[in-house]
Amino acid sequence: MTTPSPHPPTPNSLPRIVLASLIGTTIEWYDFFLYGSAAALVFNKLFFPGSDPLVGTLLSFLTYAVGFAARPVGALVFGHFGDRLGRKKLLVVSLLMMGSATCAIGVLPTHSAVGSLAPVLLTALRLVQGFALGGEWGGAVLLVSEHGDARRRGFWAAWPQTGAPAGQLLATGVLSALTASLSDDAFLTWGWRVPFLLSGLLVMVGLWIRLSVDESPVFKAALARSEERRRSGDGTERMPLVAVLRDQWRDILVAMGARMAENISYYVITAFILVYATEQTHLSKQTALNAVLVGSAVHFAVIPAWGALSDRIGRRPVYLLGAAGVGAWAFPFFALVDRGSFPSLVVAVTVGLVCHGAMYAPQAAFFSEMFATRVRYSGTSIGAQFSSVAAGAPAPLIATALLADYGSATPIALYVMAAAVLTLVAVGCARETRHRDLAEGPDGTAGHAPRSAAAAERR
């Protein structure tokens, strides 16, 4: 019996697939980052009133961190069904879940209206956001990676990654426009709701585009082979989650370690900086938001360039350069912010995000190439999202707590540097993957998970 082999997309179809993934991830990250910015700016006043400003911010960031706690659960569920049913179906579900939760936050009553029920409802909706995002990232990058060819996979797979800065850009831009055009009272009363309600319109656009693309040809070929084996009685295939945890646990650990510096540095630069700049250097919310806006625009532009460079020199060298960069930039970053001027704040954020982009750009192709097709959604999602609980989730909390305890940025800079060291070690232990054929497994078999951990090492 023969099985269909994956066919490369036509020159016209790949950009459409990239666009579908990019718009979907932009909307998902817009929703997620919008919450983070609102947590730094208004949620402490609306849902945790009566607290000391920094304590209120800590409580607000705690609900922010809850979303990260749900991301591993989303990774497990979406990864399992994404490896069983396909990438496209699960991406549609994740988009609908995220958009619905974000719109609901836009109509949520505050503490003044329903008391302690308000933060409970806010936390519940944040859990839904985190669950949806936990399944979004892996499917979006795989849909592009598995359609493209190895020669330019780093470049094409980097485009869904630009959804993060694009979402940050959109969320920060909307908030910045509202804070500039509304009084503080108007923004606190109703203005903050507008960006959350806009998510409904964005989701309709994203859903229309995402439904128009085809399923990954690599996945369809692997699914056909799996069905042939079942019909012929050639063994029993393990569940994707069980298979990847048993056979490729080392790759999962590498992916988790690779995410430490990337995740921590990003949330310190884009979320915590809104607290630090306003509370410590007494810059206005508008100034801090505009600096993140400029940095996010540059971040968006450099990610495809870093991805293209990873196609030429490899995933590991580019990733290592980014990790070393964010570690080295930690102290200059806060020194520039402490100057209390808009230009220095822009330089601090922009250089930090350029260094971050060197990690984030090759990450999509790098993680995709680590895993066999039939466990790839599970492997990439678990590696990416489980690390977010230890990295991105507590980063604003830890940074805010360190600032409250020490009144200085020095321990925060050391925290970022320690994360950079962890990532340098993890990526340094990984194998280069840029020439790997995604139609094959890591051990060279046709898209299956390797039979044992030993087989996974023979590559």
Side-chain angles (χ1 to χ4, degrees), residues 8 22-23 25 30 32 41 63 74 76 79 102 108 134 156 160 185 224 239 287 290 299 311 380 383 386 395 443-444:
L22 170 58
I23 289 179
T25 53
Y30 166 81
F32 204 76
L41 297 173
T63 64
L76 293 173
T102 305
L108 201 63
W156 288 115
D185 287 342
M239 291 173 56
T287 300
N290 286 344
H299 195 208
D311 286 328
T380 55
F386 271 71
D443 61 343

Side-chain angles (χ1 to χ4, degrees), residues 269 324-334 336 347-353 355:
I269 293 168
V326 296
W329 188 244
F331 276 102
F333 173 81
F334 285 106
L336 285 167
V347 171
V349 171
T350 301
V351 174
L353 288 177
C355 294

Side-chain angles (χ1 to χ4, degrees), residues 317-343:
V318 177
Y319 212 115
L320 290 169
L321 177 63
V326 296
W329 188 244
F331 276 102
F333 173 81
F334 285 106
L336 285 167
V337 177
D338 285 338
R339 290 186 178 181
S341 70
F342 178 69

